[in-house]
Amino acid sequence: MDIRVKICGLKEPEHVAAAAEAGAAYVGFVFFEKSPRNVSLERARDLALDVPVGVAKVALTVNADDAFLDELVDTVPLDMLQLHGKESPERVAEVRARYGLPVMKAIGIAEEADVAQIDLYGAVADQLLVDAKAPKGAALPGGNGLSFDWRLVNRKYWPAPWMLAGGLTPDNVAEAIRMTGARQLDLSSGVESAPGVKDPKLIRAFMDAVKAA
């Protein structure tokens, strides 16, 4: 499949298996206590050990310090770190150098002015995750099921590979691909039956919709 998909916020072995079986290229584990998708390091380690070879294991963190990241990479077998907070470009470069893992930086988009961050962070990150900016006062920096105006990133070319996120579902993913030209997609709430509860049927439906697109 030409388009690579990341299913994020996985908490159960059967949902990791469903994502891999449906053709996901990445699986994501969330380490943020306020999120309904938060998992412990020990739980994530057990889940990661069952991920099939060839599927990338990604850890989502939010403004994490070195102490937590040290413990994370020592405990969980990972392929990539995703920084989903207010980390500066300098911090992204620091994390990348310290751990020797590819780093994906999330960028929140709500208006044209936000797009400039993509070039800024694209110079220091291995990948970018272009997401809907969280509403003011929101408890979560992502995973809110919100999309943004896809015209803001329509057929743009950035200095690093990028992934489209924010409110993607089986029903709108074909339109998202058409409007943005994205070759990588990230979703979490769009394949859930309740906050933090993945639905294997929705995972399969999403992947089928991507293949059809």
Side-chain angles (χ1 to χ4, degrees):
M1 184 168 53
D2 290 334
I3 295 176
R4 294 163 61 83
V5 174
K6 174 171 166 277
I7 307 292
C8 197
L10 294 162
K11 296 166 59 179
E12 304 296 337
E14 58 267 30
H15 299 154
V16 172
E21 289 165 10
Y26 307 81
V27 292
F29 307 115
V30 173
F31 302 92
F32 184 58
E33 290 184 357
K34 294 180 180 179
S35 172
R37 304 168 189 97
N38 184 57
V39 290
S40 68
L41 296 178
E42 293 72 22
R43 178 70 166 173
R45 177 194 59 211
D46 294 343
L47 293 171
L49 289 171
D50 284 337
V51 174
V53 173
V55 178
K57 303 174 291 293
V58 184
L60 185 159
T61 66
V62 179
N63 303 320
D65 60 19
D66 287 350
F68 178 80
L69 292 177
D70 287 350
E71 189 176 6
L72 170 63
V73 299
D74 284 345
T75 305
V76 186
L78 295 170
D79 298 299
M80 182 177 290
L81 293 170
Q82 178 179 332
L83 307 183
H84 213 107
K86 296 181 179 179
E87 299 89 358
S88 67
E90 293 76 17
R91 177 59 175 162
V92 173
E94 183 180 83
V95 169
R96 189 169 178 263
R98 181 179 177 92
Y99 299 103
L101 286 170
V103 172
M104 178 187 296
K105 178 67 180 88
I107 308 292
I109 302 290
E111 57 188 1
E112 182 73 39
D114 297 323
V115 176
Q117 296 180 84
I118 296 176
D119 285 313
L120 182 65
Y121 282 96
V124 292
D126 296 279
Q127 293 209 44
L128 302 167
L129 187 137
V130 181
D131 197 1
K133 181 182 281 187
K136 191 171 183 179
L140 305 179
N144 293 296
L146 302 174
S147 61
F148 63 94
D149 184 351
W150 293 324
R151 290 173 296 183
L152 293 172
V153 295
N154 183 17
R155 307 280 168 181
K156 298 288 178 65
Y157 295 92
W158 313 118
W162 67 286
M163 193 174 282
L164 180 68
L168 296 174
T169 69
D171 295 328
N172 69 11
V173 66
E175 179 71 0
I177 293 168
R178 185 188 69 78
M179 286 191 65
T180 66
R183 310 309 296 170
Q184 297 197 104
L185 307 168
D186 174 278
L187 77 162
S188 188
S189 61
V191 288
E192 290 180 345
S193 57
V197 182
K198 293 295 184 285
D199 184 329
K201 290 181 180 179
L202 288 176
I203 290 173
R204 288 191 292 270
F206 185 86
M207 298 303 293
D208 287 345
V210 171
K211 291 171 187 175

